[in-house]
Amino acid sequence: MKDNIIKFLRDATPWLAVIILWRLSNAFWNPAGILALIPIFYCSFVRPVPYFTAYAILFCFLIDYKFETLAFWTAWYCLFYAINGFQTFFDLTKIDRAAIHIFIAFFGVGMLVLLFANFSFIVMLETLWIILWAGLLYIPMVRIIKWAQNDR
C-alpha cells in the first residue's frame, strides 16, 4: 500500500506542481500563476512526461485567462513545441543544466514580446523582475521534480 502511494506521488509530481504554481498566483511573486511555466517547460521539453502536452496546453490557456493575454502563452507554447518537434540540430533531453538557457530564451522572449505590446517603465521593471525570478527558481523547481520522480 505504501509503495503504491509513493509511486502515485512520484508520477503525479509534475501534474501537481503545475496546479500548485498556477493556484499560488500573486501579483508580485507569481502574477497569473506564470511560474507554472517552469514545470510545463521542463516536463514537456527536457524530461517529457507521457500525455503531458494536452495538460500543458490547458494550463497555458489558464495562465492566459488569468494574465488576460488572449492565448499568447498557449500559442507561444504550441510554437515552441512545433519547433522542438521539427528540429534535428539539438536534443533538449540531452542538454546539461536542465536546459536553463533554453528556458530563459523561451520565457524571456515571451515576456519581452508582452513588454513591447504594452510598454511602460513600470511594465519593464515588472518584466525584468519576473524573468529574473523565474530564472532563479528554475533549477530548484527542476531539482524538486527530479528528486520526487527519483530521477537523479
Side-chain angles (χ1 to χ4, degrees):
M1 177 75 168
K2 178 182 169 187
D3 292 336
N4 291 340
I5 293 172
I6 291 172
K7 183 181 177 336
F8 170 76
L9 289 175
R10 282 187 177 147
D11 293 341
T13 297
W15 310 80
L16 294 174
V18 171
I19 291 172
I20 291 168
L21 287 171
W22 181 73
R23 288 290 296 158
L24 290 177
S25 63
N26 178 300
F28 183 73
W29 299 105
N30 187 12
I34 199 160
L35 291 180
L37 289 173
I38 294 171
I40 287 172
F41 177 85
Y42 182 75
C43 296
S44 293
F45 303 116
V46 181
R47 294 266 189 228
V49 173
Y51 308 108
F52 196 77
T53 304
Y55 185 76
I57 291 171
L58 170 68
F59 271 90
C60 285
F61 178 76
L62 292 174
I63 290 169
D64 283 326
Y65 178 74
K66 274 187 163 182
F67 220 175
E68 297 177 3
T69 52
L70 194 62
F72 173 78
W73 286 110
T74 307
W76 191 248
Y77 173 83
C78 290
L79 175 69
F80 202 81
Y81 190 83
I83 291 170
N84 186 51
F86 288 123
Q87 61 81 21
T88 57
F89 183 65
F90 59 92
D91 186 9
L92 289 181
T93 60
K94 298 200 182 350
I95 293 179
D96 60 340
R97 292 189 307 252
I100 188 168
H101 52 289
I102 306 295
F103 171 74
I104 292 299
F106 166 75
F107 188 76
V109 171
M111 288 298 292
L112 289 175
V113 168
L114 291 175
L115 166 67
F116 291 123
N118 186 23
F119 189 80
S120 73
F121 184 71
I122 297 299
V123 173
M124 183 179 69
L125 291 177
E126 290 172 349
T127 300
L128 181 62
W129 160 248
I130 292 300
I131 291 171
L132 292 173
W133 184 236
L136 181 70
L137 292 179
Y138 182 77
I139 293 295
M141 286 186 190
V142 164
R143 294 246 169 112
I144 290 170
I145 291 170
K146 287 172 72 173
W147 173 79
Q149 290 182 326
N150 204 17
D151 184 27
R152 297 178 197 149

